[in-house]
Amino acid sequence: MNPCSCSEQTLRLSQQVTVMRKEIKNLRQHLESSVRAHRKHMTSLQSELEVWSRGKAQKRPAAAPDLQQGAEISLEKGCIQTVPIGYIDSCFSNKNGTPRQPAVCTLSRASLQIQPSVFNNPDHALTGLENYSHVWLIFLFHKNGHLSYKAKVKPPRLNGQKVGVYSTRSPHRPNAIGLTLAKLESITGDTLHLSGVDLIAGTPVLDIKPYIPDYDSPSVSNRVKMSAPEQTEDTPGSETDAEPEELQHPEVQLPASAGPSQASDSGFTKALAEVREYLQQGEPCPERGKPTEPEPEREDAARLCYGADSYSSIASWIRDPPVAKLSVRFTPTAEEELAQFLPPESTETGRPKFQFLKGPEEAAAAVRGILSADPRSVYRRTRCSDRLFFFSLDTADVTCWFGDGFVEVLRVRAVQTQERQS
């Protein structure tokens, strides 16, 4: 036998053993976390039984306790019983291929019907919601598989690096509650029609809240606060109108004192003082004839910007992750198969039909959005040799292959009816 082939086989076996050891380590960690959770659960049950037994031994009052008072006590302690108001019907039937954020695939569609068990007239609860373009959905991560969680997690965009769970949107949390923003397309009776969702079919929704930029977006609320106060008849607007022009020139000294109308707005005056201080922090003007040295790049430009953006900041890996976006292309076979799908309103028979997506063009754009963000896990991306990937989108099964810096869609076939229902 060739010694080279023997060394290659030995290397492969050693790599497989290393992977198996890591998998066993992960299984042990899951088992230990499950044991700890079980012990906590048993301890809480035991303490509840002890409290109940002591309360039973004591003399009880003749009147039964008020149920509403008991509910208030539970709310004060932070203990509530959640009841889903409805379940998502989405173009994503399983976790594989579902975008991790709604902005990844803005063309994804879903619907949410309010359960009649929550309200006698569910459509009454939606009155007035049609005035908003977007809604917040509070939901449960019902497909976690287990209730274990860790203080540090590995977000897929960080490609294996660990950060605290509360600095991420990981589904594995002490309370498996999620929050997502969806576009409200329309409301028909007791049903909301949504787009730009990242939820799979069957997701329990706990609550709906309207998205209000003036309250929910720091940049918008900051612009409202920074807007100039309304002019009154007693105060001329010459000074107020001249301030934005002065801010464009650092060499112009801003007025040290504000007028009567400006003094009434302490926040606006304080902001102007901060801008003036920022403009005066620069280097002195260079002498004429001497070349100017280029300004060195700042490490964190996002935190140094002034204006509305200075009121919010995010981790640098959100905008510049170590995982780059991929280019997406379709094979001729995949394009032909996708072109066979009909829109939902079509009455033609004999061809596959979408349930949510409006047609092949929208489906192709949705596929590009999903695959360009690389929906694979860190394990499949870094350690799995199989580069084939399968996921479902609406009524289509998509088969693709990941290369270096690109992903190619190989097949787009109709989902079997039984598979869709399961």
Side-chain angles (χ1 to χ4, degrees):
M1 182 178 293
N2 190 359
C4 182
S5 61
C6 292
S7 61
E8 292 178 356
Q9 292 181 0
T10 304
L11 180 60
R12 291 177 183 175
L13 288 175
S14 62
Q15 291 176 351
Q16 292 178 0
V17 170
T18 303
V19 172
M20 291 175 63
R21 286 177 178 174
K22 291 184 178 180
E23 290 294 331
I24 293 174
K25 181 180 178 181
N26 292 335
L27 290 175
R28 286 178 179 174
Q29 291 177 351
H30 286 306
L31 180 60
E32 291 175 357
S33 61
S34 300
V35 171
R36 288 194 298 268
H38 176 70
R39 288 177 180 173
K40 289 181 181 178
H41 183 63
M42 295 302 297
T43 303
S44 62
L45 286 178
Q46 186 177 1
S47 61
E48 290 292 336
L49 286 174
E50 291 177 356
V51 172
W52 178 80
S53 61
R54 287 197 300 266
K56 186 177 180 181
Q58 296 176 356
K59 190 176 181 180
R60 296 184 178 181
D66 190 2
L67 296 179
Q68 185 176 1
Q69 183 180 1
E72 292 176 355
I73 295 176
S74 299
L75 285 175
E76 290 179 356
K77 293 182 179 180
C79 301
I80 62 172
Q81 182 178 0
T82 59
V83 178
I85 63 172
Y87 297 86
I88 287 288
D89 189 12
S90 169
C91 62
F92 303 110
S93 58
N94 50 61
K95 293 193 298 182
N96 211 30
T98 302
R100 298 185 177 97
Q101 299 298 330
V104 173
C105 183
T106 57
L107 297 175
S108 59
R109 299 184 182 274
S111 61
L112 173 62
Q113 183 179 15
I114 306 300
Q115 296 291 315
S117 58
V118 179
F119 297 105
N120 294 330
N121 299 303
D123 53 328
H124 290 183
L126 302 177
T127 303
L129 191 60
E130 69 278 0
N131 297 320
Y132 300 90
S133 62
H134 293 75
V135 292
W136 293 109
L137 300 179
I138 303 174
F139 62 94
L140 288 177
F141 290 107
H142 69 299
K143 290 292 186 179
N144 274 0
H146 51 79
L147 295 178
S148 62
Y149 49 87
K150 298 179 181 180
K152 285 192 173 184
V153 295
K154 300 177 181 179
R157 288 172 64 87
L158 275 179
N159 209 24
Q161 301 178 28
K162 286 187 177 182
V163 291
V165 65
Y166 290 129
S167 67
T168 70
R169 298 185 175 184
S170 170
H172 303 289
R173 322 177 71 84
N175 297 302
I177 298 177
L179 174 69
T180 189
L181 184 66
K183 184 179 181 181
L184 180 60
E185 297 288 346
S186 62
I187 300 177
T188 55
D190 58 355
T191 303
L192 285 74
H193 301 279
L194 310 167
S195 65
V197 296
D198 56 350
L199 305 177
I200 65 175
T203 299
V205 176
L206 302 180
D207 199 7
I208 304 169
K209 297 181 183 294
Y211 171 74
I212 306 175
D214 292 355
Y215 304 150
D216 299 339
S217 176
S219 60
V220 175
S221 60
N222 181 42
R223 285 198 298 268
V224 174
K225 293 179 182 179
M226 291 290 291
S227 59
E230 295 182 359
Q231 300 179 7
T232 59
E233 296 179 357
D234 300 331
T235 305
S238 58
E239 293 182 3
T240 305
D241 295 337
E243 285 171 356
E245 183 179 357
E246 292 174 348
L247 292 179
Q248 297 174 3
H249 303 282
E251 68 275 9
V252 178
Q253 295 292 331
L254 294 176
S257 61
S261 62
Q262 297 170 349
S264 62
D265 193 345
S266 59
F268 183 70
T269 306
K270 183 179 179 181
L272 289 178
E274 291 178 355
V275 173
R276 181 174 63 249
E277 182 181 357
Y278 171 76
L279 294 176
Q280 294 175 351
Q281 287 177 354
E283 294 291 337
C285 296
E287 298 180 6
R288 294 182 180 180
K290 292 186 178 181
T292 58
E293 296 182 357
E295 183 181 355
E297 296 182 359
R298 301 174 187 251
E299 294 182 359
D300 192 359
R303 293 182 178 272
L304 296 177
C305 61
Y306 243 73
D309 292 340
S310 64
Y311 279 75
S312 62
S313 60
I314 60 175
S316 59
W317 61 268
I318 299 294
R319 291 177 178 169
D320 188 19
V323 180
K325 281 194 173 184
L326 305 176
S327 62
V328 183
R329 61 197 187 199
F330 288 75
T331 63
T333 301
E335 291 179 346
E336 293 176 1
E337 292 174 340
L338 184 59
Q340 295 298 317
F341 282 79
L342 299 171
E345 64 275 6
S346 176
T347 58
E348 185 179 345
T349 58
R351 293 168 57 185
K353 182 187 299 185
F354 285 122
Q355 181 182 355
F356 294 95
L357 301 175
K358 300 302 182 182
E361 295 80 8
E362 188 171 283
V367 170
R368 289 191 178 93
I370 294 170
L371 295 180
S372 63
D374 199 344
R376 298 175 297 172
S377 63
V378 177
Y379 175 80
R380 288 186 61 90
R381 188 186 303 145
T382 58
R383 299 187 179 277
C384 188
S385 59
D386 186 8
R387 296 195 171 189
L388 283 175
F389 187 78
F390 308 90
F391 70 97
S392 298
L393 176 64
D394 204 337
T395 57
D397 268 339
V398 181
T399 303
C400 55
W401 186 86
F402 282 86
D404 295 333
F406 72 94
V407 56
E408 189 171 40
V409 180
L410 306 178
R411 300 292 302 272
V412 182
R413 292 174 291 185
V415 176
Q416 300 297 327
T417 306
Q418 296 180 355
E419 182 180 351
R420 176 71 182 177
Q421 293 177 352
S422 61

